[in-house]
Amino acid sequence: MKDRFKILVSTEEIQQKNIDLANQIVRDFGTEPFLLLSILTGSFIFSADLCRAIVTAGGDPIIAFLSASSYGSQTTSSGNVSLTIFKELSLSSKRVLLVDDILDTGYTLSHIKNYVLAHSASFCKTAVLLDKPSRRKVSFSADYCGFTIDDHFVVGYGLDLNDQFRSLPYVAIIQDT
Ligand code: IMP
Ligand code: MG
């Protein structure tokens, strides 16, 4: 199975990066509780590892989820982002850390950050495992970024192609597509 994939970011690199990011986040958010808002589905593994690294670093994240989808082709976003909120999500006066798998065109995170701020969060920071700055369609940068990558479509560690490959323990490029 490994032959199908060219590993771009290894399991060990991701683990170390989660520790680094968690330390930066705790430096900024301190030890008081804050809302870690994980954007499903792609960020479920990153969020799970990052929130535990944050606790190890001394932080106190309260976890909540929302789901974002945008209609477009298989591998790119249309900019038409729709959100699903799973339960009463009180954002008023909350300090929010939005967590996503990858920052690509920027449509998803900029839309959700606007939503969070429009619902009276006291502030909103963003964390992404991966960033593809060359693909940006709207001006947006993440406050915490794991790895900047070139314009490849990647899978693994939560990222999918048609719901496949999310469970790979590394980030990879598919060799045969
Ligand atoms: P954006 O709205 O274009 O920034 O895209 C964000 C979403 O597109 C991510 O949360 C992913 O779900 C998806 N996406 C963007 N690039 C990739 C990729 O290389 N592999 C898998 N999903 C991707
Ligand atoms: Mg996603």
Side-chain angles (χ1 to χ4, degrees):
M1 169 130 148
K2 250 188 164 170
D3 294 347
R4 285 195 68 189
F5 303 103
K6 178 167 175 266
I7 296 180
L8 200 62
V9 191
S10 71
T11 305
E12 295 73 24
E13 289 172 313
I14 294 170
Q15 270 170 358
Q16 185 54 54
K17 188 63 76 175
N18 283 335
I19 295 168
D20 296 345
L21 292 175
N23 285 331
Q24 291 174 41
I25 289 163
V26 172
R27 215 176 300 137
D28 295 345
F29 280 79
T31 55
E32 292 298 309
F34 65 93
L35 187 67
L36 188 159
L37 196 49
S38 167
I39 303 170
L40 297 175
T41 303
S43 84
F44 79 111
I45 295 179
F46 178 45
S47 297
D49 285 346
L50 184 65
C51 74
R52 288 175 291 180
I54 290 170
V55 170
T56 302
D60 188 5
I62 309 292
I63 318 299
F65 298 93
L66 59 74
S67 172
S69 56
S70 66
Y71 305 97
S73 72
Q74 266 187 2
T75 57
T76 194
S77 164
S78 65
N80 195 351
V81 181
S82 77
L83 300 186
T84 306
I85 313 289
F86 296 111
K87 59 171 189 171
E88 196 63 36
L89 183 64
S90 164
L91 294 166
S92 180
S93 305
K94 296 274 169 63
R95 302 181 308 143
V96 176
L97 177 66
L98 273 179
V99 178
D100 206 358
D101 50 0
I102 189 164
L103 183 51
D104 187 36
T105 61
Y107 289 133
T108 304
L109 267 179
S110 63
H111 182 87
I112 298 173
K113 185 170 179 175
N114 287 340
Y115 175 92
V116 167
L117 292 174
H119 287 75
S120 308
S122 61
F123 69 83
C124 179
K125 290 191 181 268
T126 53
V128 293
L129 179 74
L130 302 167
D131 186 9
K132 291 197 277 197
S134 62
R135 302 243 321 152
R136 208 72 91 245
K137 290 279 202 299
V138 288
S139 167
F140 194 91
S141 59
D143 298 291
Y144 311 99
C145 171
F147 303 92
T148 299
I149 63 170
D150 292 335
D151 182 9
H152 303 294
F153 191 83
V154 291
V155 296
Y157 200 69
L159 293 120
D160 72 308
L161 175 63
N162 296 333
D163 284 326
Q164 289 190 84
F165 315 124
R166 290 194 197 278
S167 306
L168 295 173
Y170 42 75
V171 173
I173 301 169
I174 303 172
Q175 303 271 37
D176 60 5
T177 54

